[in-house]
Amino acid sequence: MEVIIRDSAEAGCVLGAKILASVIREKPAAVIGLATGRTPLRLYQELIRLHREDGLDFSQVTTFNLDEYVGLAGTHVQSYRYFMQENLFRHINIDLTRTHVPNGIAIDLHVECRAYEEKIIAAGGIDLQLLGLGRNGHIGFNEPTGSLRSRTWIKILSEQTLRDNSDVFGSMDLMPKHALTMGVGTILDARRCLLLAFGPAKVRAVEHMVEGPLAAICPGSALQLHPRATVILDENSAAGLRYADHYRWVDRNKFAWQRHG
Ligand code: GLP
């Protein structure tokens, strides 16, 4: 796992956008896995800037979002489809027919999950999967103790996750308690993973994900198995890492071709 510590979330997001943009420049028809939540918002703003000012072209890009709430239509303001539309898609030249978010109101959710997996395969697999990290170590909506080999499926959200995400819904009672999410196995199949985690609330989850045992109690720790996972942190989220100095040392001693910027 490549661990990069930046001074601020701002610097981390700019770097994350740079990595994502380089994948698209190298392969204009790249398949990108996208995430929602507060963490990638600044990264999306930077991608929009790169599109407007540097001509970053999304016209051939295909995207697959990690997850969606069960019961929310894409037009619902709290749905992840709406989030993507508002925070990224409508600001760039992406072909919306190439953007995929699980359908939380599908008549048969099991069929929807299987179809989502099949669509990822048909698109040639995910080149780079962007990820955030839940305070309890979840990735996508894969909550602690779920299978580390899971595929896209229906998951019940933990009380902690409901509490963490309830502010945008006004109250926990108004929140869907279920979500469709790519499984941990689906995420690990991406050719590259790029996880961002910032702020003091993520310290414990980051510590376990990077240096703790590989364990289902922290689904993010499954990235320890991934051959090409990059984790971008800020000083706050990295505060609990025993080997922080080692990661900084590695960062300073990279060959030019190993640097992201
Ligand atoms: C949400 C999403 C995750 C996200 C995580 C962290 O529940 N399903 O994909 O990474 O929680 O959210 P935030 O970035 O707002 O801290």
Side-chain angles (χ1 to χ4, degrees):
M1 189 185 290
E2 179 187 33
V3 180
I4 300 175
I5 303 168
R6 286 291 179 262
D7 291 342
S8 62
E10 161 72 18
C13 283
V14 169
L15 176 62
K18 199 168 182 178
I19 293 172
L20 216 147
S22 72
V23 170
I24 295 172
R25 288 206 167 101
E26 218 165 273
K27 183 178 176 185
V31 179
I32 305 291
L34 295 173
T36 53
R38 284 149 284 210
T39 308
L41 278 174
R42 177 68 188 92
L43 181 148
Y44 291 149
Q45 286 166 9
E46 181 63 10
L47 284 182
I48 294 164
R49 191 193 68 76
L50 290 171
H51 167 64
R52 289 186 180 150
E53 295 174 17
D54 286 352
L56 182 63
D57 179 17
F58 290 87
S59 63
Q60 296 179 61
V61 169
T62 296
T63 66
F64 286 92
N65 262 79
L66 283 166
D67 44 18
E68 180 60 282
Y69 289 111
V70 168
L72 300 194
T75 49
H76 190 290
V77 289
Q78 308 306 349
S79 74
Y80 284 165
R81 161 60 78 177
Y82 190 89
F83 175 101
M84 291 312 305
Q85 187 62 25
E86 285 303 301
N87 292 298
L88 183 64
F89 297 155
R90 74 185 182 88
H91 305 284
I92 57 176
N93 67 332
I94 198 157
D95 174 354
L96 283 180
T97 63
R98 288 186 207 266
T99 65
H100 304 87
V101 181
N103 178 7
I105 55 163
I107 291 168
D108 188 329
L109 295 173
H110 294 175
V111 169
E112 171 65 15
C113 290
R114 278 194 296 271
Y116 206 65
E117 289 277 328
E118 280 159 19
K119 276 186 236 169
I120 293 172
I121 293 167
I126 293 173
D127 291 302
L128 181 140
Q129 176 66 53
L130 182 64
L131 296 159
L133 183 68
R135 215 141 60 97
N136 61 5
H138 75 231
I139 48 175
F141 267 134
N142 295 282
E143 298 285 30
T145 74
S147 162
L148 295 183
R149 295 186 66 178
S150 57
R151 312 302 309 186
T152 301
W153 207 235
I154 306 146
K155 298 282 156 71
I156 301 171
L157 305 181
S158 70
E159 288 183 274
Q160 158 110 65
T161 298
L162 290 172
R163 266 196 302 276
D164 288 348
N165 292 356
S166 61
D167 50 342
V168 289
F169 285 87
S171 102
M172 243 169 92
D173 297 336
L174 299 172
M175 279 191 75
K177 309 284 184 293
H178 303 83
L180 304 185
T181 180
M182 283 186 200
V184 178
T186 320
I187 292 166
L188 292 181
D189 281 350
R191 286 184 271 280
R192 276 178 83 170
C193 285
L194 174 63
L195 184 143
L196 309 184
F198 306 120
K202 304 289 171 74
V203 172
R204 295 278 304 279
V206 164
E207 204 181 329
H208 191 159
M209 171 182 67
V210 177
E211 296 177 341
L214 169 62
I217 199 156
C218 177
S221 69
L223 290 184
Q224 293 174 20
L225 288 174
H226 196 281
R228 214 171 165 206
T230 299
V231 171
I232 302 180
L233 309 172
D234 66 353
E235 293 292 349
N236 290 320
S237 63
L241 293 175
R242 282 174 62 198
Y243 291 87
D245 285 342
H246 170 67
Y247 310 132
R248 292 193 186 94
W249 163 261
V250 169
D251 208 17
R252 282 199 300 275
N253 288 285
K254 280 176 182 161
F255 288 117
W257 54 267
Q258 288 177 309
R259 290 184 192 283
H260 304 292

